[in-house]
Amino acid sequence: MSPPRRHTGKRAMPGGGPGQPSLLPFYGEVKSRIVARAEEIRNILATLEAGRHLIIEGPPGTTKSTILRTITEVCRIPFYLVEGNVDLTPSKLVGHFNPAKVMADDYKGEYFEKGPLTRAMEGGILYIDEFNRMPPDTANVLITAVEEGEIHIPRYGAVKAHPLFRVICAQNPFDDVGTMRISRAIYDRLCRIRLDYQSEEEEREIVRRKTGCPDETLVKIAVRVVQETRVHKEIKQGASVRGAMDMVAIALRLREMGERDAEGILTAAMLSAMSGKVWLLETTARSAEGILREILAGVLRQPDMKWDPDGEGSKEDERGGGAQGPRGASGEPAGPPEPPKGEEQSEGRPEGWDDLDYDPANGPAELKRLARSSPEKVIEYFRSNRAAAREILQSTDVLELYGHIRDMLDPELEEIAKRYATRLIIRLASQIANIGVKTGSLYRSTTEAAWDEIDVDATLERILDRPASRLDENLVFLARRPEQKACVVMLDHSYSMKGIKISMAALTAAAIALHFKQDYGVVAFSTGARILKGLNQYKLPALIAEEILSLEPTGYTNIHDALHLGIGQMKGYEKKIGILLTDGDWTAGEDPLQVARRFDRLHVIGLEEPLQVEATYDEVALRYCDSRMDIFRPGGGLEENLRRYHGSRVELLAREGRGHFTYVHRIEEVPLAITRCLTA
């Protein structure tokens, strides 16, 4: 089928019948306008042509919007953009009646002001950016539209979808601030295509096209810096190609202003362009600026990265070197690179460090290993090197060291370690406390105290029913009622909870405290269970963290009593969430599986790999299968069903509690585990 000519005004018709144009012939033109992405463009066009709706996932700056805008422009398809956010209500998506016209002439179809969904259903693409920021009740409006191809609007009637109608959603799956979990009902109705970062050469071409910069070396440096941010060990998510484009544009303007210090121009341009675009790991102690300076210094030491601000383009120094080549301004051979300005050397060791019996080349990593295997050696060193001890105990390494050596520290050093560990935990917790999004159900109210926005349709109905009343007496407001949910963190402090484990427990509790602010509790348990912070009790997160760090590892693991005490605190709440942190199976108390089912969500964070389940567990599992045949596969056989649940019993708790189960072994893994709990 031949494509329509652009000047005829005809539009491509995905999945159209005989005589209707197709999207597929436009593949070549769309591909020619975008750098690379041939496979992704082909798959998107094929999905749309097949009559399917689509979700595109990828980090920022991976051409999601560019591809879709190009497709709609080339194919002459109407394009309706919606930004997903918590304030997006169903009426903003669907539309509403014009109040003035309805009051003057009653309800008529022509007085309905169509929203982007309604307009797209008449023939176009509805593009929802940041889809995972959209409230669930608004997202659910899409289900009928994409499944049935029809929506019903009160007083307006049915809107049937044109064959051209498609819904395309885009989201960054790595973002966890202000986002929410997309329901399986919606995912099941969408096809999925993932876009990742492009190659270095492809990103150079993008920067050249977007900035018009003829200076190849400047473009190369900017793109290399961006690429390095994506693999740096202290950066959770690096900069997109937009960072390189911004860096090049700013560097060119600085050069126009007369600046000639190559490294100074590059540093200033990079910090302005990228310091807000990189997402640091929560556990890093350094600033974005310091890490970026380090990356740029490394890039400029590479042999093909000499930039001359007075040059016309790429002038690579055959001898290698950075912005000034391998020699300094004086012509003398350059010595070892100096640490970035404003940053302390992270690998330096305190004076007297070499007296400790370990390999100095491994630095803090070897110190932490010694603390696990021979803590008395670390204590001996601390006693003879007080200044070094104070410095070490006020570094990020304290979170792991503290649990291993706290019982051997003298009161002064113990107080220093606990104080700094608490401060560090609160700082880390504050960086992950805002993950997820706090939404609630929409409700209507006639009081301004509940005002989020005016419900136009409900207000019109009141006005028409009460024509003699004043306008302000008939206003109906839409607002969101916060979800009545509570969370209880249940922390194991049995005998095996030593070392980094207790620090991870304190970090989790502090993050939950800062996230929920008030409706949360903390339970500590070993052979028995006790409340550290009740739901109706106020306690500073720092005090909670300090109290957890002071818990003595002792006794057995009575998970039943912990769950029972935790669920008992949440009476009266609509949604009851539990987060259990433990390093092993239950070894005391009753079977906790029955209590786990009483939570709406029970998440389990395992603090080490589980032990192999003992053979006697077969008998427990068999009884369990008999008691829960409703959840097992019919006709699957006892052995098959047993294999499905023949694993860690704490993992069974998460399954019974409809929650997530996650293993964490390092403090750096805790934020991701908490993210999974808070966005479930």
Side-chain angles (χ1 to χ4, degrees):
M1 188 180 300
S2 60
R5 295 184 180 275
R6 297 287 298 278
H7 66 269
T8 63
K10 294 182 180 179
R11 298 181 298 180
M13 189 75 67
Q20 293 179 328
S22 165
L23 287 177
L24 302 184
F26 292 95
Y27 170 65
E29 185 175 353
V30 174
K31 184 178 67 170
S32 68
R33 297 191 182 192
I34 297 173
V35 177
R37 296 296 192 201
E39 181 179 348
E40 292 89 345
I41 293 170
R42 181 196 65 198
N43 291 344
I44 290 173
L45 287 173
T47 302
L48 298 178
E49 181 70 16
R52 300 301 185 263
H53 305 276
L54 180 65
I55 183 167
I56 302 176
E57 293 186 351
T62 48
T63 67
K64 297 187 293 291
S65 299
T66 301
I67 291 175
L68 294 179
R69 289 184 183 277
T70 304
I71 288 174
T72 55
E73 179 184 340
V74 170
C75 301
R76 303 175 67 88
I77 301 174
F79 180 78
Y80 302 96
L81 173 64
V82 173
E83 293 285 347
N85 59 69
V86 71
D87 296 322
L88 185 63
T89 59
S91 62
K92 290 179 180 177
L93 199 60
V94 175
H96 58 81
F97 282 93
N98 183 296
K101 293 180 179 179
V102 170
M103 290 175 64
D105 197 21
D106 207 353
Y107 285 94
K108 292 184 179 180
E110 58 265 32
Y111 298 159
F112 183 75
E113 297 186 351
K114 300 168 184 174
L117 173 60
T118 310
R119 291 185 180 278
M121 292 186 72
E122 294 177 343
I125 289 178
L126 175 65
Y127 176 50
I128 305 175
D129 199 11
E130 304 289 355
F131 182 57
N132 51 351
R133 296 183 186 276
M134 182 185 294
D137 49 16
T138 306
N140 287 338
V141 174
L142 299 173
I143 293 179
T144 304
V146 301
E147 179 73 13
E148 306 295 336
E150 183 176 345
I151 59 173
H152 292 268
I153 302 172
R155 297 182 182 270
Y156 182 74
V159 178
K160 294 184 180 294
H162 188 279
L164 194 63
F165 170 62
R166 298 289 183 273
V167 174
I168 301 179
C169 308
Q171 66 180 25
N172 173 12
F174 306 106
D175 198 357
D176 51 28
V177 178
T179 61
M180 61 200 73
R181 182 172 172 264
I182 305 301
S183 73
R184 298 305 308 176
I186 294 177
Y187 259 127
D188 189 56
R189 290 164 170 82
L190 300 173
C191 297
R192 175 180 174 271
I193 291 177
R194 174 177 170 77
L195 298 181
D196 211 335
Y197 292 116
Q198 292 168 275
S199 69
E200 185 169 350
E201 186 53 49
E202 290 167 351
E203 290 197 337
R204 288 181 196 169
E205 179 60 27
I206 292 172
V207 174
R208 283 192 289 265
R209 288 192 188 187
K210 294 292 186 180
T211 64
C213 177
D215 193 324
E216 290 295 323
T217 303
L218 177 58
V219 170
K220 189 185 298 184
I221 291 172
V223 171
R224 184 71 56 83
V225 169
V226 160
Q227 298 252 332
E228 290 293 330
T229 65
R230 299 171 193 161
V231 296
H232 195 279
K233 63 182 180 180
E234 294 178 85
I235 296 179
K236 186 175 184 178
Q237 182 174 297
S240 72
V241 70
R242 295 190 190 103
M245 291 188 287
D246 293 348
M247 179 177 172
V248 168
I250 295 170
L252 291 176
R253 301 294 92 75
L254 289 171
R255 186 172 66 178
E256 288 178 8
M257 295 171 67
E259 296 292 333
R260 287 298 177 267
D261 174 15
E263 187 170 349
I265 292 174
L266 293 171
T267 301
M270 174 194 64
L271 294 180
S272 296
M274 297 186 204
S275 59
K277 293 182 174 68
V278 294
W279 184 1
L280 302 185
L281 283 171
E282 291 83 0
T283 52
T284 186
R286 296 202 289 164
S287 66
E289 289 79 4
I291 294 173
L292 286 170
R293 288 177 186 272
E294 175 187 272
I295 290 173
L296 179 62
V299 168
L300 294 181
R301 286 196 295 270
Q302 297 171 13
D304 58 343
M305 295 295 172
K306 174 179 169 57
W307 181 55
D308 180 4
D310 293 317
E312 294 298 324
S314 177
K315 289 190 176 181
E316 298 176 6
D317 193 322
E318 295 178 357
R319 299 166 298 177
Q324 293 183 338
R327 295 176 179 269
S330 64
E332 295 298 321
E338 295 181 0
K341 298 176 182 178
E343 289 290 314
E344 297 180 1
Q345 289 179 282
S346 59
E347 299 299 326
R349 299 192 304 277
E351 185 178 353
W353 188 270
D354 293 333
D355 296 338
L356 190 58
D357 183 21
Y358 75 98
D359 178 11
N362 290 330
E366 184 67 11
L367 177 66
K368 289 183 282 189
R369 186 192 66 78
L370 266 183
R372 290 192 295 269
S373 60
S374 305
E376 66 280 356
K377 290 187 178 181
V378 178
I379 293 299
E380 182 181 349
Y381 171 74
F382 281 178
R383 286 171 180 164
S384 58
N385 296 272
R386 301 291 291 187
R390 293 188 186 95
E391 183 175 343
I392 294 168
L393 293 176
Q394 295 184 76
S395 70
T396 54
D397 298 318
V398 69
L399 290 180
E400 184 163 348
L401 292 173
Y402 179 76
H404 293 294
I405 63 176
R406 68 173 185 174
D407 294 336
M408 303 180 185
L409 291 171
D410 59 55
E412 180 198 0
L413 291 182
E414 182 181 5
E415 181 61 29
I416 291 173
K418 186 189 298 184
R419 183 172 63 249
Y420 191 80
T422 300
R423 189 184 310 160
L424 185 60
I425 282 171
I426 295 301
R427 182 174 67 82
L428 297 178
S430 66
Q431 296 179 42
I432 56 179
N434 291 325
I435 57 181
V437 63
K438 304 175 183 68
T439 62
S441 57
L442 280 173
Y443 73 99
R444 293 178 174 85
S445 173
T446 56
T447 62
E448 293 188 22
W451 182 11
D452 274 358
E453 65 174 277
I454 295 176
D455 187 330
V456 176
D457 292 334
T459 298
L460 282 174
E461 290 186 9
R462 282 174 61 90
I463 291 173
L464 294 175
D465 290 341
R466 304 164 59 192
S469 60
R470 299 197 317 269
L471 174 62
D472 61 334
E473 295 175 341
N474 294 303
L475 291 175
V476 179
F477 301 101
L478 269 180
R480 288 196 179 275
R481 180 179 290 109
E483 191 174 28
Q484 295 298 307
K485 64 179 179 180
C487 179
V488 173
V489 182
M490 293 152 286
L491 311 169
D492 182 0
H493 71 104
S494 59
Y495 184 74
S496 58
M497 284 286 293
K498 298 178 179 179
I500 191 67
K501 298 175 189 176
I502 202 67
S503 296
M504 292 192 288
L507 174 57
T508 302
I512 296 302
L514 293 171
H515 179 83
F516 281 89
K517 303 293 192 297
Q518 180 177 350
D519 298 323
Y520 74 95
V522 181
V523 169
F525 70 94
S526 56
T527 306
R530 63 188 177 94
I531 296 173
L532 293 185
K533 191 269 178 190
L535 256 72
N536 298 316
Q537 175 188 4
Y538 176 76
K539 186 178 285 189
L540 288 172
L543 293 179
I544 296 173
E546 187 171 338
E547 192 169 348
I548 293 171
L549 290 174
S550 301
L551 289 172
E552 291 291 336
T554 183
Y556 297 98
T557 308
N558 187 344
I559 293 178
H560 174 276
D561 284 6
L563 297 184
H564 188 270
L565 188 58
I567 195 71
Q569 289 192 73
M570 294 186 282
K571 292 179 180 178
Y573 285 88
E574 296 175 7
K575 189 171 183 179
K576 304 174 181 65
I577 302 170
I579 299 178
L580 173 69
L581 287 95
T582 181
D583 67 343
D585 199 356
W586 58 89
T587 57
E590 300 176 27
D591 188 332
L593 291 173
Q594 294 289 341
V595 187
R597 297 170 195 149
R598 294 168 58 189
F599 289 82
D600 294 295
R601 288 280 188 275
L602 176 61
H603 307 291
V604 180
I605 300 177
L607 300 182
E608 70 177 8
E609 293 287 344
L611 299 174
Q612 291 293 324
V613 179
E614 64 275 15
T616 55
Y617 177 54
D618 285 352
E619 299 177 7
V620 178
L622 287 171
R623 291 198 301 272
Y624 179 73
C625 290
D626 289 338
S627 67
R628 295 300 309 280
M629 288 307 294
D630 57 306
I631 67 171
F632 290 113
R633 193 174 302 153
L638 194 55
E639 286 189 10
E640 179 184 348
N641 288 328
L642 188 59
R643 279 196 300 271
R644 294 176 63 202
Y645 279 82
H646 197 290
S648 165
R649 286 202 285 179
V650 290
E651 188 170 355
L652 266 180
L653 286 170
R655 294 183 185 180
E656 288 299 290
R658 297 165 293 280
H660 287 299
F661 181 82
T662 308
Y663 289 123
V664 293
H665 305 88
R666 298 177 296 136
I667 198 78
E668 293 85 357
E669 297 170 349
V670 173
L672 179 59
I674 298 175
T675 297
R676 294 190 67 191
C677 297
L678 294 181
T679 57

